[in-house]
Amino acid sequence: MAKNTLIKSRKKIDKIDRKIAQLIIQRFGIVKLVGEYKKANNLPIFVPQREQAVKAQLRAYIGQQLPENAIENIMQVIMDEAKKIE
């Protein structure tokens, strides 16, 4: 890979990372609303079945495009942080 290609590739990665960050910010905004609803209605913050459903849905969507368990591991971190916001 030429140095110029490396620089261009890194710029593309940086742009994608910013998009991912924006989506996480949006997701956490919605998580906060969900948390408020759960508190107002005495519902548990952690629902294991929901977490498993989210990961299964994404695993089906991603298919074999990523290494095994990659999306589950990424989503687990996101959901762990989301629980702190809820």
Side-chain angles (χ1 to χ4, degrees), residues 64-76:
Q64 300 300 318
Q65 297 179 62
L66 294 175
E68 188 176 347
N69 295 325
I71 195 66
E72 290 92 339
N73 294 338
I74 293 165
M75 286 309 298
Q76 189 63 56

Side-chain angles (χ1 to χ4, degrees), residues 2-69:
K3 186 173 182 176
N4 192 35
T5 303
L6 176 63
I7 292 169
K8 286 180 182 179
S9 295
R10 285 182 174 165
K11 285 183 181 183
K12 287 178 184 178
I13 290 170
D14 291 345
K15 186 175 180 179
I16 291 167
D17 288 346
R18 286 190 296 274
K19 287 180 183 179
I20 292 169
Q22 281 299 318
L23 290 172
I24 291 171
I25 290 167
Q26 288 176 17
R27 188 183 196 284
F28 282 9
I30 296 167
V31 162
K32 186 175 180 182
L33 295 174
V34 169
E36 290 169 1
Y37 177 85
K38 287 178 176 182
K39 285 178 187 174
N41 291 280
N42 295 317
L43 297 172
I45 295 298
F46 177 58
V47 180
Q49 300 89 343
R50 171 67 180 149
E51 282 196 7
Q52 292 304 315
V54 168
K55 289 189 273 187
Q57 178 183 5
L58 286 171
R59 190 172 40 249
Y61 177 74
I62 296 294
Q64 300 300 318
Q65 297 179 62
L66 294 175
E68 188 176 347
N69 295 325

